[in-house]
Amino acid sequence: HLTCLSLGQCTKDIIEHHRVTIEDMEALQGQDRDRKVNAVMQKACTALHGTDANMMVELVAEIVGLLSPPRSMSELKGDSTMTMDAQLQLRAAVQTRLRDTLMQLLGLRGE
C-alpha cells in the first residue's frame, strides 16, 4: 500500500511499483514461473467476478511481466522429457491464456 505526499509523487510511486512488478515477473523461470502463472490466473478469476479495481490493475502489471516474446528453439532445448512440439504447444497455450485474461481485465473481451 502506497502513502503519497502529493499526486505527482503518488503517480511516480505507482509507476515505479508496477515497473518493479513487471521486472520481477520477467525474471521468473521454471517452476517458479509456472506457479506464478497459476496464482495470477486464480487471482484474475476472483478479480473478474468482483469489483476490486486495485487487484485488476496489479494483475495487469503481473500479466504484462509474464507475457514474453516467442523463444528461439535454442532457448527451449534442455533436459526435458517433453518433445519440442509439446513444449512449444504448452508455452503457446499458457501465453494465450495470459493474453485472454489480460484482455478481460482491460474490458476488451467478455468472460
Side-chain angles (χ1 to χ4, degrees):
H1 180 46
L2 299 172
T3 304
C4 304
L5 299 176
S6 71
L7 181 58
Q9 185 58 47
C10 188
T11 302
K12 288 177 186 175
D13 291 347
I14 291 169
I15 291 168
E16 178 63 13
H17 170 75
H18 290 304
R19 186 191 63 74
V20 169
T21 298
I22 290 169
E23 286 179 357
D24 289 348
M25 297 301 107
E26 288 174 339
L28 293 174
Q29 295 180 1
Q31 289 181 347
D32 290 335
R33 184 180 186 80
D34 294 341
R35 280 191 287 273
K36 188 61 177 180
V37 166
N38 289 331
V40 164
M41 297 304 289
Q42 287 178 342
K43 286 193 312 186
C45 190
T46 300
L48 287 165
H49 288 96
T51 57
D52 189 344
N54 290 329
M55 182 189 296
M56 289 181 177
V57 171
E58 185 64 30
L59 286 165
V60 166
E62 290 180 12
I63 290 172
V64 166
L66 289 168
L67 287 172
S68 58
R71 291 186 178 185
S72 69
M73 295 302 252
S74 63
E75 289 179 284
L76 290 172
K77 291 181 182 173
D79 298 330
S80 176
T81 57
M82 292 178 70
T83 66
M84 185 63 65
D85 274 348
Q87 289 178 30
L88 290 171
Q89 288 174 359
L90 178 60
R91 181 163 179 75
V94 169
Q95 292 292 299
T96 298
R97 282 181 40 221
L98 286 169
R99 285 185 180 90
D100 286 345
T101 302
L102 179 61
M103 298 298 280
Q104 288 176 19
L105 288 167
L106 296 172
L108 300 173
R109 183 175 294 155
E111 293 180 53

